[in-house]
Amino acid sequence: VGGASFEQKIKIETIMPNRLKLNLSFGGATQLTKGGDVSGSLDAHWLFGGIAQNLKAKVDAFLSPQHTTFKGYDDYVFDDPTLNFTPQSQTIFDGRLDANGKAGVKTDIDVDKEAPGQLRANFLVKVFEPGGNFSIQTLSMPYNVYDGYVGIKTAKGSDISGMLYTNRDNVVDIADVDTKG
């Protein structure tokens, strides 16, 4: 512009694809419960088929709130509206894989404060190559802080405001369910 020239160096990052095949599984479980007997298993192989033995691995769990629902109880509210849960993270495994490329992962995640209901656990798995690069895998599943939940179903209120009528009886149904509904 006007005979002036400007230079700015821009760093360009490249994304390296995974070179390891990672598998974090919880024995076919569809949800986890605090204090439950389900244990996790981390398995890593090189994409060319070799065992990823003795590599450093790290598994982080990110907990966030989710709406608690159970099949057959669609109109019930199982979440406590008085509790507010802020997302939190925790490292649940930080160590090395064994000679077979496997490691056990604990599923008992510590929650700092009371949860309003069921939580969503997002697992981020990293396995580090000897050169420092790493491959990642993500997994998401429901996490139950409680062994059971109590849900409330209130009567339908006024069509205009939703308020319950005071001049008649209002039926409130209560359901007590375990983590599987």
Side-chain angles (χ1 to χ4, degrees):
V1 177
S5 102
F6 301 94
E7 288 185 23
Q8 176 65 36
K9 292 185 179 188
I10 300 174
K11 293 182 179 181
I12 300 175
E13 291 187 43
T14 58
I15 298 173
M16 180 178 279
N18 282 350
R19 297 189 335 181
L20 293 167
K21 180 180 179 183
L22 308 178
N23 183 24
L24 177 63
S25 66
F26 296 101
T30 57
Q31 62 183 350
L32 299 174
T33 302
K34 182 171 181 55
D37 59 354
V38 176
S39 60
S41 173
L42 174 60
D43 186 21
H45 286 81
W46 293 97
L47 287 180
F48 59 79
I51 297 173
Q53 58 186 0
N54 302 322
L55 295 180
K56 183 179 178 341
K58 184 176 182 183
V59 180
D60 292 321
F62 300 93
L63 297 174
S64 59
Q66 75 171 12
H67 185 66
T68 307
T69 59
F70 297 100
K71 186 176 180 180
Y73 298 96
D74 298 328
D75 296 337
Y76 288 79
V77 177
F78 290 96
D79 294 316
D80 185 350
T82 63
L83 295 177
N84 187 17
F85 186 83
T86 55
Q88 50 187 266
S89 65
Q90 179 180 356
T91 301
I92 60 172
F93 178 80
D94 192 3
R96 293 204 167 269
L97 303 174
D98 65 10
N100 297 320
K102 298 182 185 290
V105 177
K106 72 173 185 167
T107 58
D108 195 18
I109 303 170
D110 293 328
V111 179
D112 290 342
K113 46 192 280 195
E114 289 186 10
Q118 200 174 53
L119 301 176
R120 166 82 34 203
N122 297 307
F123 298 98
L124 176 65
V125 181
K126 291 182 183 179
V127 176
F128 297 87
E129 300 174 14
N133 294 329
F134 59 88
S135 296
I136 63 171
Q137 178 204 10
T138 59
L139 176 68
S140 182
M141 61 189 341
Y143 187 77
N144 296 299
V145 180
Y146 309 110
D147 293 332
Y149 297 91
V150 175
I152 298 174
K153 177 182 171 185
T154 57
K156 186 175 187 293
S158 167
D159 291 335
I160 297 171
S161 65
M163 292 181 9
L164 297 177
Y165 296 107
T166 57
N167 56 351
R168 65 174 118 159
D169 290 341
N170 293 295
V171 177
V172 176
D173 292 328
I174 298 175
D176 184 13
V177 298
D178 63 4
T179 59
K180 293 179 176 52

